[in-house]
Amino acid sequence: MQKILIAFGGNALLRNGDDSTFGAQLIRAREAFAKISDTILENDVIITHGNGPQVGNILLQNELSGGVTSPMPLHACGSMSQGLIGEILLNAYDDIRIKKGISKEGVVLMTRTVVSPDDPAFRNPSKPIGPYYDRQASERLSREKDWVMREENGKGLRRLVPSPVPVDIVERSAIFSMLNDGFMPICVGGGGIPVVKTPGGFVGVDAVIDKDLASSLIATILEVDRFVILTDVSNIFRDFGKKTEEGLHRISHEKLGELLANGSFPSGSMEPKVMAVLDFVRKTGKKAVIGSLDDAGRVIAEEAGTVVY
Amino acid sequence: MQKILIAFGGNALLRNGDDSTFGAQLIRAREAFAKISDTILENDVIITHGNGPQVGNILLQNELSGGVTSPMPLHACGSMSQGLIGEILLNAYDDIRIKKGISKEGVVLMTRTVVSPDDPAFRNPSKPIGPYYDRQASERLSREKDWVMREENGKGLRRLVPSPVPVDIVERSAIFSMLNDGFMPICVGGGGIPVVKTPGGFVGVDAVIDKDLASSLIATILEVDRFVILTDVSNIFRDFGKKTEEGLHRISHEKLGELLANGSFPSGSMEPKVMAVLDFVRKTGKKAVIGSLDDAGRVIAEEAGTVVY
């Protein structure tokens, strides 16, 4: 019996271009839980997940209904996505739980993640989110809402938001209690709702938190034995897409840190995952694994994927 | 130290016609928590809440973006509203908590409520939800989505959904655990996400669960000492709006049951609240109070509102 945190990539529910209906997402979530049911049966498991495609749709719905309803800020769209994905994951897990005779219940905890107002990301918004706009609409939004906009490969302009580093998880005690009480917490959805701490309380901010970095943080806080990232690639690759491309199987955190420093990983996709596992392994001395959701059982057993020690 | 369940009416966050922005809802939620902060400090408190105006806006956004994104089913819109309202209540509570030096943390638990597929409400959808449609759109929706539509006072046609009776709360153990661990659970939002239990698991259904009946159910399950409904009227009134109108102050459940049977309460508004408190008092022998949110402290102390014993 180990404490294992499993971070589901966006592909556990919805891939770009996939059927995005509720029913289709439910089927995919069921497949994801079926692949890790033995792990849940034998261990204390915490589930975290991304929310990219879902929050994108919610944002789009907000924008398209502008003038008819009050559009909610980005962080509130994140909260809605935690609710939506929470229902999908709970129902999907219960289907598998009943089938496999697992008594452990899942529970979805709304989670807020603290970021620093001094994070340099706030001075340099870099994450494109939401729909594409033409130049006129873009200039209006920039003026009215103070949005930073950027042209994207000829398709129009998109809003850019900051992606600050997560520094704390507000609901850490609640997650810890639920785990101790024998539940499987489903939490830190989409990296958590970004908030800054003020003397008066917590204030939601429009930002995007990398879900792997936030998962690494809660994995470290909970002192789990293993941190598992299930995604859509089989391994960490050095020099991905180049002639020197090489899938990594077992690698020390020192060596992986060198590769990261040498710029071996593409910044958009694998880099934050590498940073997330490195941070966990360095702080806890425990192992982390990155691998394919399709091969989840073998990844968790360290027979597939990239093991970082 | 008592166990007290407090059900916030919709007006705790948003009244019809009010400013529905995130910021405005946050301010109202903060005012609501300020009114019950002493109760939270001195007791074990569970919070439940409605979601009418919020889920209405989410539904509208879904409809207006049809064809661009996959519209989510009604129950999933309910999940989104649990997330949205969850963030508002957590942030608002933390503001008050820090101000008043309350150590108890709030936690938002996604909650599913079981209804029976045999509930007669499914054969007689009665709750209007979402936007108004013209006859042509209405006939198309009726055909394509099997929606039941009804003309509403000259404004157009609206979808009708069933309002079945809640029979169980899926997350009952998690809520109980959180309460026992010293947290203030915020749960059963909007009456919970309606699901039916099948041999294979739980399936979301498009229905609306009365939040007071669902609150009564979880209050009974948790065996709380007091069930408090905070709403926008000062008391239960018999013959509301008639010449014989009379505000009730203290009344036995037997007497209140007689008034209910005699049709003394309007079916849309006060009737489900009366049914909710009656059910709780009959099953537990404990007291319930209905009163105004504005006067929350005195309602909880039984100095205002209607006490049912």
Side-chain angles (χ1 to χ4, degrees), chain B residues 59-79:
Chain B
L59 270 170
L60 195 59
Q61 294 178 341
N62 254 271
E63 284 305 308
L64 291 173
S65 63
V68 182
T69 63
S70 296
M72 290 293 119
L74 173 60
H75 58 86
C77 294
S79 298

Side-chain angles (χ1 to χ4, degrees), chain B:
Chain B
M1 172 86 84
Q2 288 196 316
K3 256 196 273 187
I4 302 180
L5 188 138
I6 299 178
F8 278 145
N11 65 333
L13 288 156
L14 189 56
R15 272 170 269 235
N16 272 335
D18 271 6
D19 176 359
S20 64
T21 58
F22 186 89
Q25 294 191 54
L26 184 63
I27 290 170
R28 265 179 242 110
R30 217 180 270 145
E31 288 166 358
F33 276 117
K35 287 182 202 298
I36 60 168
S37 61
D38 289 343
T39 305
I40 295 172
L41 192 58
E42 293 157 14
N43 298 279
D44 289 333
V45 170
I46 305 108
I47 301 287
T48 64
H49 62 85
N51 72 344
Q54 292 86 0
V55 82
N57 284 342
I58 293 171
L59 270 170
L60 195 59
Q61 294 178 341
N62 254 271
E63 284 305 308
L64 291 173
S65 63
V68 182
T69 63
S70 296
M72 290 293 119
L74 173 60
H75 58 86
C77 294
S79 298
M80 289 192 248
S81 77
Q82 284 193 4
L84 172 64
I85 299 170
E87 178 189 349
I88 295 171
L89 292 178
L90 280 176
N91 281 348
Y93 172 58
D94 278 333
D95 293 340
I96 300 304
R97 182 164 97 77
I98 290 169
K99 206 168 176 177
K100 304 269 180 173
I102 305 173
S103 62
K104 193 197 311 268
E105 289 181 31
V107 59
V108 170
L109 296 160
M110 287 281 304
T111 314
R112 293 168 295 171
T113 299
V114 180
V115 298
S116 165
D118 303 325
D119 193 303
F122 284 107
R123 293 191 303 275
N124 179 31
S126 60
K127 278 268 178 186
I129 56 145
Y132 293 89
Y133 298 95
D134 61 25
R135 189 149 300 275
Q136 197 184 349
S138 169
E139 279 169 10
R140 183 179 51 77
L141 289 164
S142 178
R143 201 170 50 239
E144 286 174 8
K145 300 191 178 183
D146 214 16
W147 286 3
V148 178
M149 309 294 292
R150 186 176 67 189
E151 173 77 33
E152 277 214 346
N153 46 38
K155 290 162 89 180
L157 290 105
R158 276 180 101 188
R159 181 181 178 195
L160 292 180
V161 295
S163 184
V165 172
V167 296
D168 199 6
I169 305 291
V170 184
E171 278 70 26
R172 54 195 288 168
S173 306
I175 297 167
F176 184 76
S177 281
M178 284 276 88
L179 187 66
N180 269 7
D181 290 345
F183 292 85
M184 178 181 79
I186 299 171
C187 55
V188 197
I193 304 150
V195 293
V196 294
K197 199 173 179 180
T198 70
F202 298 102
V203 179
V205 289
D206 279 359
V208 163
I209 299 177
D210 183 86
K211 78 113 178 54
D212 293 308
L213 292 180
S215 300
S216 172
L217 178 59
I218 189 67
T220 305
I221 290 170
L222 296 174
E223 301 183 324
V224 303
D225 300 299
R226 202 97 58 86
F227 173 33
V228 180
I229 296 180
L230 296 177
T231 180
D232 51 3
V233 294
S234 64
N235 294 81
I236 302 179
F237 286 86
R238 66 188 286 179
D239 301 333
F240 188 74
K242 296 185 193 164
K243 274 195 173 165
T244 49
E245 172 179 307
E246 179 196 358
L248 304 173
H249 296 286
R250 296 184 72 85
I251 186 166
S252 70
H253 72 85
E254 292 92 346
K255 185 83 188 111
L256 187 64
E258 279 172 34
L259 290 176
L260 178 68
N262 294 341
S264 295
F265 308 112
S267 67
S269 55
M270 194 47 87
E271 195 186 58
K273 292 188 202 311
V274 169
M275 287 165 65
V277 295
L278 272 181
D279 206 45
F280 172 78
V281 174
R282 282 174 183 155
K283 283 185 182 151
T284 64
K286 303 287 173 63
K287 281 187 280 193
V289 202
I290 296 182
S292 166
L293 175 63
D294 295 334
D295 219 7
R298 294 182 59 238
V299 172
I300 295 168
E302 299 183 14
E303 292 159 8
T306 302
V307 181
V308 183
Y309 56 92

